[in-house]
Amino acid sequence: MDGPTLFDKLLAKRGLNPNSLAGAIKRPSAQSGFDRFKKGLIKQPKRSEALELAAKHLGVDVLAFYDEALAASEWARISGEAPPPATQSSSSPSVSGDEVVIVQYDVAGGMDTRGKLLLEAEPPGIIKSWKVDREWLQLNVRSYTSLANLCIVTGFGPSMKGMFNPGDPLLMDRGVNRVDHEGVYFFRVGDEGYIKILQRVPEFNGPGFVLRVISKNKDDFPPYDISPKNPHLHIIGKILTVWKSEQY
């Protein structure tokens, strides 16, 4: 369940509409934004005092408007419906109160169902997990498909130096498995795993496109193209945020 759907259901259950909700929380100027959110015209609303007040008035955690799994859980709690079946694996984040533990995606151990990955270089140690609060996620991670799809990847290899270093933490969304726009992706071709910038480039002689694979360290790792139809290509996830380390 996405945020707009939850918002719409909550309004209906409370007998409210965007205008009456804005009045109830004494923020009449928020009516237009509430109306657009209810209609699904805004998928990730800006975190604001009005939205915080609306969530409190409706009796839900404001972060449920940003996370599908939490939205479903909150609606089950309020409506009295059975909660959605648990699909969380050992590699999914665990949630306890306001704390979220984001665990590693084991690139060397082959958590991907297609088998163990061969990397351009082994990472210098592994980041096993991160513990954050939900507010940190909302303020530092702009959007993601679901909380259950977030995981930590430990940076490896020299090809992306300049963006991150081997051993640095990378936050990945495993729910993104296709390249709709340029970004940093973790993908595999056969048995080999890569973290690179992928860019959609129009084909020279046709209406389709190829994926241009770009390293940050272009001097040692020049760009090359790969077909998105390559049967050996699998997009594991999209890198949302990286933290580049500096040694002092």
Side-chain angles (χ1 to χ4, degrees), residues 76 79-84:
S79 66
E81 296 178 0

Side-chain angles (χ1 to χ4, degrees), residues 215-229:
S215 299
K216 196 68 175 176
N217 180 6
K218 296 180 182 178
D219 292 339
D220 297 327
F221 298 87
Y224 59 90
D225 294 343
I226 187 171
S227 170
K229 299 177 182 179

Side-chain angles (χ1 to χ4, degrees), residues 91-107:
S91 61
S92 298
S94 61
V95 181
S96 177
D98 191 46
E99 291 186 344
V100 180
V101 179
I102 305 173
V103 298
Q104 67 164 326
Y105 183 90
D106 189 1
V107 296

Side-chain angles (χ1 to χ4, degrees), residues 10 38 50 64 138 141 174 188 216:
L10 290 170
K38 178 180 182 293
Q138 202 281 317
V141 185
R174 294 179 299 168
R188 67 184 300 158
K216 196 68 175 176

Side-chain angles (χ1 to χ4, degrees), residues 21-69:
L21 175 61
I25 63 172
K26 297 180 171 57
R27 295 294 186 277
S29 62
Q31 183 271 329
S32 176
F34 288 165
D35 187 60
R36 296 181 66 206
F37 185 41
K38 178 180 182 293
K39 294 176 179 177
L41 300 177
I42 302 174
K43 293 296 185 181
Q44 291 282 326
K46 182 179 179 181
R47 184 76 173 265
S48 64
E49 182 188 25
L51 189 64
E52 296 270 3
L53 291 171
K56 184 176 181 180
H57 188 78
L58 295 170
V60 296
D61 185 335
V62 67
L63 294 179
F65 295 138
Y66 300 88
D67 182 81
E68 293 184 359

Side-chain angles (χ1 to χ4, degrees), residues 133-148:
D133 63 19
R134 292 184 178 182
E135 184 177 19
W136 182 93
L137 278 178
Q138 202 281 317
L139 296 177
N140 292 279
V141 185
R142 288 176 295 179
S143 63
Y144 48 91
T145 57
S146 171
L147 180 61

